[in-house]
Each structure stands twice: as C-alpha cells, then as structure tokens.
Amino acid sequence: MNDRNDRIFQAFGVSADSPEWKDWRWQYRNRIRDASGLSRVLDMSDAEKADVTACLARFRMAVTPYYASLIDPLDPRDPVRMQAVPSIRETEVYPWETPDPLGEEKASPVKNIVRRYPDRALFLVTGCCPMYCRHCTRRRLVGERDGAITDAEADEALDYIRRTPEIRDVLISGGDPLTMSDARLEYILSGLRTIEHVEVVRIGTRAPVTLPMRITPELLAMLKKYQPVWINTHFNHARELTEDSAGACGRIVDAGIPLGNQSVLLRGINDSAGAIKDLMLKLVKIRVRPYYLYQCDLVEGLEHFRTDVRTGIGIIRELTGNISGFAIPEFVADAPGGGGKIPLGPNYVVSVDDEKVVMENYLGEIYEYPQPAERM
Ligand SMILES: *Cc1c(COP(=O)(O)O)cnc(C)c1O
Ligand code: SF4
C-alpha cells in the first residue's frame, strides 16, 4: 500500500480518518479542477501550471482528493499523476484522430444508446466522472455534457430497449454511472428490470479506483435487488490498489456481483509486461477478474499515450503460460470507424489444414494436433 501524499490532508484540513474524507459526496464536491488546485498538492513549475491551464481550455479536468492523494508529489512521471494531470501534449491533434473514432454517434439508434452488437446495448447515462482520465476514449461527451440524463431521456432509451427484443445485455456507462445518486441509478435499473428480454445488466464504473467510498452498503443493497448485475471497473496500475480500493472491490464481490477489470495500455504508465503482470496478479488477489486490455483509441489528444500494437501482443505473450489463465486479460482494439472490439492476439496457431493443427506453446515449442479422421 502506498504512502499518502500528506499535502492533500493539509490542503483540505482533514485526515484519512475524517468523516468528510470517507464521504463520497465530500470527495466529489472537493475535486481539484485547475492548476492552482493542483499546485497546492503537487510540485509544479510555473511552466507546468501554464500548460495545465492551456490544456483546460480544450478539455476539463477533475481529480478527487482521494485519487490525488495517491500521487507521488515529487515524481512528474508518476503513473497516477499521468492519468489525472493534463499534459500540454493533449493539445496536439493529428490527422488520424477524431472526436469519435469508434463511430458511436452513427451507431446510436436513439439518444444515449449505442448499439454495436445485436444482443447488447451501451446506455450512456451521464457525462460526469469522479476523475476525468486524461486517456478517456469518450472525452467528446465526458466532462462536456453536464450532469446525468433526465428521466424523460432515460424513458426514451428504455423504450428503445423495450421494443428491441434482441437486446439481452445492457451496459450502463457514461461517464460514470456511480456519480448519480442511488435513487437516480435505481430509476434506470428498475426500468430495465421491467423488460423481460434484458437478462443481464452491466455497470461500467471507475469509482472503485477513483472514489472507493462511493461503494456504500446502501448502494450495494440497492444493486442486489436487480441481479444479475455485473460490474466492470478500470484499474491501470498497481499503484491504484490501496486498502480503500481493495475494500470497495471486496464489498462489491461480497454482494454477489461479479467484478471485472478493463485496462488501457498507456505509454509511460503501464506499457511493460512487468507492470501489467503486477497489476493483474494483484487484481485476482482481491477477486477482480481481468477482462480486457485495450489498445489506446485514436481520440484527439491521446497520441502521446499510444503504444506500438506489438507491445500489447508481446505483453500478453509474456504472461500466457507464466501466470494463471484467469489473470490474463484479452488484448483488444476497438476498430476505428466502428467495427467493434477485435482480439489482437498473440496467436499460437502456426498452421491449420484438413490433417492437423501445428501450434506453439508458451515456451515457443511446436506441437501437432491431428484433426478428426471422420468428418461430416
Ligand atoms: C464494449 C462494448 C460493448 C460490450 O462488449 P463486450 O465485448 O460484450 O464486453 C457493447 N456495446 C458497445 C458499443 C461497446 O463498445
Ligand atoms: S472514468 Fe471512464 S468515462 Fe470517466 S473519464 Fe475515465 S475513462 Fe472516461
């Protein structure tokens, strides 16, 4: 577990044991939102402050005091800091970047719904997050649109799901759905549960990482009424695993909610086999199941985070066979233009024909498996 950045407690006049600190609404209200707020808790040169301010003209920032307390104030390359603090490089725009590289707008049959796959729908319920990740794929909406959707907008999306019987899995995301009150979230969950063909509901939230005090007994008691509910969260680095975040994850799993993790591969933050292995092994120790590892999307201002695709494939190859299979995420890219998620490998099949499969094990040794003699 990390040492806390004590400057946070001085700046806010609280301690880690204060009731305010443990209150998610206090954390949310007191988010750090500009260069002067950052400079109270981190070492920043005047040039860095000017860069942050320049970046904020284009993209919003917000950091919970809790998440800021994980930053090493003296290390400009700190992996927590790099996810939270704007870089001037976000203002660089390249020709291959767009605000909406996944074509989500054109895959939207009604407002706030994205339908990429026949049997599932992505339901964007808010534009707010506890922290605005610098690498956010959906930054065209997130931090731009104020607040959560209205009840009327929710009803319109629910009506679409109701009249589309192919949809059996609804993914509630945003923004972060757990920035909504329990009552507002319950309005949506209870609405979904009146639709018979919706078998599974998923919630995508970074709250266990950036605002772990949001995972209250009251929230979990509410979610339990609408089972089966699955949650996916978003840890990117082992430094984000603290007593608080592990506690939040443990409470979710104890409530009978399966908890998965999606990470984004980010240059200078977690782009090594060592960093990913450390994170994945620590996640399974707290009963979080690694799900996806994403190649960074072609979103405006993210060029400095992108890695060579072979880096991700190489990382998964190093993990495969060397750690538990269930500790290894699937490495995927979301296809530019809107083709959905595509697994990128690694590939262990050397060749396949009518006679046999030639395949490679994790040590690079070659094996043959004969095809069945009898075929249809
Ligand atoms: C990622 C995603 C889903 C869910 O995909 P899974 O592979 O089932 O996790 C659904 N809809 C959209 C638009 C998505 O981007
Ligand atoms: S929590 Fe998710 S939606 Fe919110 S800023 Fe981070 S990546 Fe974007």
Side-chain angles (χ1 to χ4, degrees):
M1 299 297 156
N2 305 310
D3 292 331
R4 282 286 167 72
N5 174 0
D6 285 333
R7 294 189 209 178
I8 293 280
F9 298 111
Q10 284 155 23
F12 287 94
V14 296
S15 79
D17 298 319
S18 308
E20 296 96 315
W21 184 262
K22 294 177 180 168
D23 173 3
W24 73 270
R25 290 181 183 280
W26 182 91
Q27 290 279 344
Y28 195 77
R29 269 199 312 276
N30 286 285
R31 291 178 303 165
I32 299 166
R33 318 194 73 158
D34 55 27
S36 75
L38 280 173
S39 65
R40 288 164 68 206
V41 299
L42 302 176
D43 273 4
M44 288 176 79
S45 65
D46 286 341
E48 282 170 312
K49 280 193 259 181
D51 284 354
V52 167
T53 302
C55 190
L56 293 187
R58 178 76 184 79
F59 299 111
R60 211 180 269 194
M61 77 166 281
V63 192
T64 56
Y66 163 79
Y67 195 73
S69 79
L70 308 185
I71 299 174
D72 175 348
L74 305 177
D75 179 6
R77 308 285 305 167
D78 177 88
V80 178
R81 179 180 185 144
M82 286 175 68
Q83 293 179 67
V85 176
S87 149
I88 194 66
R89 299 212 50 197
E90 291 177 40
T91 59
E92 297 169 10
V93 179
Y94 295 87
W96 50 87
E97 295 174 337
T98 56
D100 180 23
L102 311 182
E104 291 192 329
E105 307 289 348
K106 69 174 194 272
S108 176
V110 293
K111 206 172 160 203
N112 302 306
I113 294 279
V114 180
R115 186 144 170 252
R116 171 93 55 228
Y117 306 105
D119 76 330
R120 41 219 200 277
L122 173 64
F123 187 177
L124 303 175
V125 297
T126 177
C128 299
C129 294
M131 178 188 74
Y132 295 120
C133 309
R134 303 328 300 170
H135 56 273
C136 183
T137 286
R138 229 171 265 134
R139 60 186 351 188
R140 73 178 188 281
L141 305 174
V142 170
E144 299 300 319
R145 187 158 72 183
D146 279 312
I149 58 173
T150 62
D151 284 354
E153 287 172 324
D155 290 342
E156 193 194 347
L158 289 166
D159 282 343
Y160 169 77
I161 296 168
R162 186 172 287 110
R163 63 174 193 265
T164 314
E166 298 80 31
I167 297 173
R168 42 156 292 281
D169 176 358
V170 176
L171 172 46
I172 302 174
S173 184
D176 197 320
L178 295 191
T179 55
M180 298 164 82
S181 68
D182 293 358
R184 297 279 298 122
L185 189 57
E186 182 160 20
Y187 182 84
I188 288 167
L189 285 169
S190 60
L192 285 171
R193 277 291 168 246
T194 65
I195 305 172
E196 213 160 307
H197 55 264
V198 175
E199 296 171 4
V200 169
V201 174
R202 294 193 251 179
I203 298 173
T205 173
R206 214 179 177 197
V209 185
T210 57
L211 186 64
M213 36 301 269
R214 176 68 184 92
I215 312 302
T216 60
E218 295 75 26
L219 171 70
L220 294 168
M222 186 276 284
L223 294 179
K224 277 175 89 163
K225 292 196 271 174
Y226 303 100
Q227 293 277 35
V229 174
W230 293 57
I231 293 183
N232 262 324
T233 190
H234 176 172
F235 285 92
N236 283 330
H237 196 278
R239 295 264 331 277
E240 296 167 333
L241 282 148
T242 64
E243 236 168 88
D244 290 315
S245 62
C249 294
R251 292 194 292 282
I252 291 170
V253 181
D254 284 345
I257 298 171
L259 181 56
N261 186 71
Q262 314 192 154
S263 299
V264 186
L265 197 57
L266 296 167
R267 179 140 59 100
I269 294 180
N270 61 7
D271 58 336
S272 70
I276 295 293
K277 180 177 163 186
D278 189 27
L279 174 62
M280 299 305 154
L281 291 179
K282 285 179 171 151
L283 287 174
V284 297
K285 274 173 80 175
I286 59 166
R287 299 177 289 167
V288 179
R289 168 72 154 98
Y291 184 40
Y292 285 137
L293 176 64
Y294 286 101
Q295 176 67 20
C296 191
D297 290 321
L298 302 177
V299 178
E300 279 170 356
L302 302 193
E303 180 66 13
H304 60 295
F305 284 133
R306 289 210 295 142
T307 50
D308 187 315
V309 172
R310 289 167 292 193
T311 303
I313 297 171
I315 288 172
I316 302 299
R317 190 174 269 278
E318 275 199 58
L319 268 45
T320 303
N322 288 307
I323 64 171
S324 316
F326 68 87
I328 303 173
E330 184 158 41
F331 179 49
V332 296
D334 232 317
K341 298 177 185 68
I342 302 179
L344 294 174
N347 173 30
Y348 294 91
V349 176
V350 177
S351 69
V352 56
D353 59 23
D354 290 349
E355 308 303 319
K356 62 178 192 287
V357 180
V358 179
M359 55 203 181
E360 196 184 331
N361 79 352
Y362 76 105
L363 298 169
E365 299 160 345
I366 300 297
Y367 293 85
E368 287 186 6
Y369 177 88
Q371 298 276 35
E374 201 176 307
R375 273 191 217 100
M376 299 273 286

